[in-house]
Amino acid sequence: MAVEDFHHALKFKQDLCIGCSHCTGVCPTGAIHVEDGHPVMNPNRCVDCGRCYQACPVNAIYIEQDDFQTVIDCKYPVLLLPSIFISQFEDKIKEKTILSVLYHMGFKHVFEVEKSVDFIKDEMVKTVEETNGFKPIISTFCPAIVRLIQVRFPVLVPNLYMLKPPLDLTAIYIRKLLIDEDNIPAEDIGIFYVTPCAAKIAAIKSPATDEESSVTKVINMNFLYNKVMRVIKQGEYKLCEDSRTRYHRLTKASLNFTLTGGEVSMLKNGRNLAIDGIHNVTDFLEKLEDEDIQDIDYLELRACDESCAGGILCANNRFLMAERQRKRMQKSPDEIDAEDNDLLNYTSYLAEHKKVLGKVEPRSMEKMDDNMAIAMQKMRKAFEINQNLPQVDCRICGYQSCKALSEAVVNGQAEVAQCIFVQRALEHSEKISQLEALRINTKIWGTKKNDPTIAKNLNL
């Protein structure tokens, strides 16, 4: 897949941006720099982790999502719901109430994403025990982590565990179930996934391989939560029959899967670690890449703190959500009775579709040219420039770090004098004028930040 074909759910509202560069500072891949006082994203580096979305103080970054009207237009809409959605609601709001409102909105069925976890559990255990090749095996449950490894740690791409995550397997199972048992035409079925993060939107719109997603449309979890709460407060719904919740039963392992440690808790043998928070993951992978850490069998890596409970589109506090999820686990069975578990009839079918088709390809952000000789020359030049920069990473140049600026310089996207320290030295030696320095700063931060009336109004 070409770089330009990758979908990104994170978008900028340039008219709201104040040029604070908070987004530039928190990006784990240095995908954002500032030009003319506004952020510019490098699509080859962005992993849609959403750190910039959380850091923006003026809501100038938003998530592009599908129109909810598509649910109404669909002939047979089915909701694919992460179990963490239920945990957003206070204990006084019962699970049956939430389901009733969702059915009131027009969904024919509600399934939880983690329905296929019990199938995945057996596959994971078997793979970890039998794999003698690349280790550690790295989970592909979090799409932001998959993209992070593609762009920042391409040498670790062969370590990715090429089993489809619960989202994809459950969607495949739903379609097969409805076609076989309810005789619903395949073209009428619309599977609407409720996402807690931007990365899953990006993964559905443009998967890491060329394989098409089984999900039809994506719904913002924050949006749906507020919509459900509004209907509950207005009381414009009827409680559904208990029989309609038959698709909604999950085991303890399934509910735990979405939290940090959910995967490794299913693995009893070997040295298996769970790490959440994309900056924690990045620090760990740097050590792993440098071989400072060894003898790990399995890595569960999640971009968000508290995993999906900390997704940027979750409406409530992640720690309270994780607590409610664990309370729900206490009331759930270790296994679902065979007569209540439709999934058992489709294990053979899921086994045929469990593997990701195609390969996840590295797309290193460090690549500077298709020609290896030219790329090496650029890398050497960037290293030399970086060695002569102050290494304070102040971001006044518009880039996240001195290293990022040096790479932009050799690619013809920036100039060394954007560094304020270099600029002052050049001014002092009269190699550039104050007017030229003003031009450079205006190119980075726009005319507003260089407006002399600001100082006048502040009596400076």
Side-chain angles (χ1 to χ4, degrees):
M1 182 179 288
V3 168
E4 57 269 17
D5 290 337
F6 278 92
H7 177 93
H8 291 289
L10 293 161
K11 306 292 180 182
F12 296 104
K13 294 179 182 177
Q14 301 289 12
D15 56 323
L16 294 181
C17 177
I18 59 173
C20 66
S21 80
H22 289 0
C23 56
T24 304
V26 299
C27 182
T29 58
I32 305 171
H33 70 277
V34 179
E35 287 182 18
D36 195 26
H38 298 297
V40 177
M41 185 182 78
N42 181 343
N44 190 36
R45 290 176 175 246
C46 177
V47 299
D48 286 273
C49 66
R51 298 309 99 184
C52 56
Y53 176 87
Q54 291 180 311
C56 182
V58 293
N59 298 320
I61 302 174
Y62 68 99
I63 309 295
E64 189 176 64
Q65 63 195 58
D66 292 318
D67 189 349
F68 194 76
Q69 179 65 34
T70 56
V71 175
I72 300 169
D73 296 339
C74 179
K75 290 183 178 180
Y76 203 90
V78 178
L79 192 64
L80 188 54
L81 193 72
S83 60
I84 205 72
F85 180 82
I86 302 294
S87 300
Q88 290 184 107
F89 296 85
E90 295 180 7
D91 293 337
K92 64 182 180 182
I93 299 176
K94 302 303 180 184
E95 195 172 320
K96 186 174 181 179
T97 300
I98 300 166
L99 286 172
S100 299
V101 173
L102 294 172
Y103 288 126
H104 170 78
M105 290 179 180
F107 293 105
K108 302 295 185 181
H109 294 294
V110 175
F111 293 81
E112 287 188 292
V113 171
E114 295 82 6
K115 184 75 173 176
S116 60
V117 165
D118 292 326
F119 169 81
I120 287 173
K121 175 183 176 180
D122 295 335
E123 294 296 322
M124 284 176 58
V125 172
K126 188 191 309 180
T127 300
V128 173
E129 289 179 350
E130 296 177 356
T131 297
N132 295 315
F134 288 105
K135 284 200 176 181
I137 297 170
I138 300 177
S139 166
T140 56
F141 173 73
C142 178
I145 297 301
V146 174
R147 287 197 175 187
L148 177 71
I149 290 173
Q150 282 182 280
V151 304
R152 187 159 176 178
F153 304 99
V155 71
L156 296 176
V157 165
N159 294 69
L160 290 171
Y161 181 32
M162 300 306 289
L163 178 71
K164 287 179 181 174
L167 168 60
D168 294 323
L169 283 173
T170 303
I172 291 170
Y173 153 71
I174 289 170
R175 284 190 184 278
K176 184 66 173 171
L177 176 71
L178 295 177
I179 292 170
D180 289 355
E181 298 190 11
D182 293 356
N183 297 315
I184 308 298
E187 62 273 16
D188 290 349
I189 300 171
I191 298 180
F192 295 83
Y193 171 64
V194 182
T195 180
C197 68
K200 286 189 170 70
I201 298 176
I204 289 168
K205 299 297 182 182
S206 56
T209 66
D210 290 330
E211 187 175 2
E212 188 175 342
S213 174
S214 297
V215 174
T216 309
K217 298 286 183 180
V218 189
I219 300 171
N220 181 321
M221 183 179 285
N222 188 289
F223 169 84
L224 188 63
Y225 169 83
N226 287 304
K227 197 172 181 66
V228 169
M229 281 299 297
R230 186 163 55 250
V231 174
I232 290 174
K233 288 178 180 178
Q234 293 171 348
E236 298 176 353
Y237 66 95
K238 292 182 179 179
L239 286 176
C240 64
E241 297 176 4
D242 290 339
S243 60
R244 295 206 73 177
T245 66
R246 70 186 177 96
Y247 298 113
H248 199 67
R249 297 177 187 138
L250 294 179
T251 61
K252 283 183 171 64
S254 298
L255 289 167
N256 193 36
F257 190 89
T258 196
L259 300 177
T260 300
E263 290 177 71
V264 299
S265 67
M266 298 189 293
L267 304 172
K268 305 306 179 185
N269 300 318
R271 187 183 179 199
N272 312 304
L273 295 180
I275 303 167
D276 61 11
I278 196 159
H279 290 292
N280 296 330
V281 170
T282 300
D283 290 343
F284 189 90
L285 290 180
E286 285 176 351
K287 291 181 174 61
L288 186 68
E289 189 178 48
D290 294 338
E291 298 185 352
D292 292 337
I293 299 174
Q294 297 179 355
D295 302 323
I296 306 290
D297 293 298
Y298 189 90
L299 279 178
E300 172 196 317
L301 306 177
R302 308 286 177 88
C304 298
D305 297 324
E306 292 290 325
S307 295
C308 290
I312 62 172
L313 297 179
C314 290
N316 286 312
N317 182 277
R318 63 181 183 273
F319 299 108
L320 294 176
M321 290 171 62
E323 180 190 40
R324 293 186 194 118
Q325 188 81 348
R326 293 187 180 99
K327 284 182 179 178
R328 189 179 168 200
M329 285 167 53
Q330 293 172 3
K331 302 175 184 177
S332 298
D334 292 325
E335 293 183 4
I336 301 295
D337 293 337
E339 63 269 19
D340 293 330
N341 193 352
D342 297 300
L343 188 68
L344 292 176
N345 299 325
Y346 293 91
T347 51
S348 298
Y349 181 75
L350 290 177
E352 296 173 6
H353 295 82
K354 66 184 179 182
K355 289 291 186 180
V356 174
L357 298 179
K359 291 175 61 179
V360 175
E361 297 289 348
R363 52 186 187 103
S364 175
M365 66 186 190
E366 304 292 345
K367 184 177 179 181
M368 293 188 174
D369 199 279
D370 291 329
N371 185 300
M372 182 62 72
I374 295 174
M376 291 298 291
Q377 290 175 2
K378 286 186 174 182
M379 289 179 67
R380 190 159 42 247
K381 183 64 176 175
F383 177 79
E384 292 171 358
I385 293 172
N386 188 39
Q387 288 291 94
N388 289 285
L389 293 177
Q391 306 304 316
V392 295
D393 297 342
C394 61
R395 305 201 304 270
I396 297 174
C397 65
Y399 287 83
Q400 186 182 71
S401 63
C402 294
K403 182 174 181 288
L405 174 62
S406 64
E407 292 171 356
V409 170
V410 297
N411 284 323
Q413 299 164 344
E415 49 191 308
V416 178
Q418 287 182 213
C419 172
I420 195 68
F421 297 95
V422 173
Q423 191 181 119
R424 292 293 175 260
L426 291 173
E427 279 187 88
H428 185 72
S429 61
E430 298 184 348
K431 290 185 178 178
I432 65 171
S433 64
Q434 289 185 342
L435 191 63
E436 176 64 9
L438 181 63
R439 180 197 67 78
I440 293 169
N441 291 334
T442 301
K443 177 184 175 183
I444 304 168
W445 298 106
T447 55
K448 188 174 180 180
K449 281 188 168 58
N450 289 315
D451 188 348
T453 61
I454 294 175
K456 182 179 178 182
N457 293 336
L458 293 173
N459 296 318
L460 298 178

